[in-house]
mmCIF file of all heavy atoms in Angstrom:
data_model
loop_
_atom_site.group_PDB
_atom_site.id
_atom_site.type_symbol
_atom_site.label_atom_id
_atom_site.label_comp_id
_atom_site.label_asym_id
_atom_site.label_seq_id
_atom_site.Cartn_x
_atom_site.Cartn_y
_atom_site.Cartn_z
ATOM 1 N N ARG A 677 -11.513 11.777 -1.491
ATOM 2 C CA ARG A 677 -11.928 13.171 -1.491
ATOM 3 C C ARG A 677 -13.442 13.292 -1.350
ATOM 4 O O ARG A 677 -13.951 14.092 -0.563
ATOM 5 C CB ARG A 677 -11.480 13.806 -2.809
ATOM 6 C CG ARG A 677 -11.395 15.264 -2.749
ATOM 7 C CD ARG A 677 -11.248 15.876 -4.106
ATOM 8 N NE ARG A 677 -12.017 17.089 -4.047
ATOM 9 C CZ ARG A 677 -11.537 18.230 -3.597
ATOM 10 N NH1 ARG A 677 -10.294 18.351 -3.264
ATOM 11 N NH2 ARG A 677 -12.321 19.286 -3.475
ATOM 12 N N GLY A 947 -9.529 28.301 40.578
ATOM 13 C CA GLY A 947 -8.087 28.234 40.325
ATOM 14 C C GLY A 947 -7.773 27.219 39.235
ATOM 15 O O GLY A 947 -7.021 27.498 38.301
ATOM 16 N N PRO A 1003 -20.218 30.940 21.380
ATOM 17 C CA PRO A 1003 -21.438 30.461 22.052
ATOM 18 C C PRO A 1003 -21.296 30.303 23.565
ATOM 19 O O PRO A 1003 -22.227 29.825 24.220
ATOM 20 C CB PRO A 1003 -21.696 29.087 21.413
ATOM 21 C CG PRO A 1003 -20.536 28.801 20.529
ATOM 22 C CD PRO A 1003 -19.497 29.842 20.728
ATOM 23 N N ALA A 1037 -24.067 35.855 21.757
ATOM 24 C CA ALA A 1037 -23.647 34.762 20.859
ATOM 25 C C ALA A 1037 -24.076 35.027 19.424
ATOM 26 O O ALA A 1037 -24.406 34.095 18.685
ATOM 27 C CB ALA A 1037 -24.175 33.408 21.355
ATOM 28 N N GLU A 1047 -16.122 41.868 5.323
ATOM 29 C CA GLU A 1047 -16.400 43.311 5.251
ATOM 30 C C GLU A 1047 -15.765 44.067 6.401
ATOM 31 O O GLU A 1047 -15.289 45.183 6.238
ATOM 32 C CB GLU A 1047 -17.916 43.536 5.331
ATOM 33 C CG GLU A 1047 -18.558 43.759 3.982
ATOM 34 C CD GLU A 1047 -20.068 43.774 4.113
ATOM 35 O OE1 GLU A 1047 -20.582 44.402 5.054
ATOM 36 O OE2 GLU A 1047 -20.716 43.117 3.271
ATOM 37 N N ALA A 1156 -30.633 24.892 27.729
ATOM 38 C CA ALA A 1156 -30.309 25.352 29.088
ATOM 39 C C ALA A 1156 -31.429 26.249 29.605
ATOM 40 O O ALA A 1156 -32.054 26.974 28.844
ATOM 41 C CB ALA A 1156 -28.994 26.120 29.056
#
Side-chain angles (χ1 to χ4, degrees):
R677 201 192 143 86
E1047 261 172 44

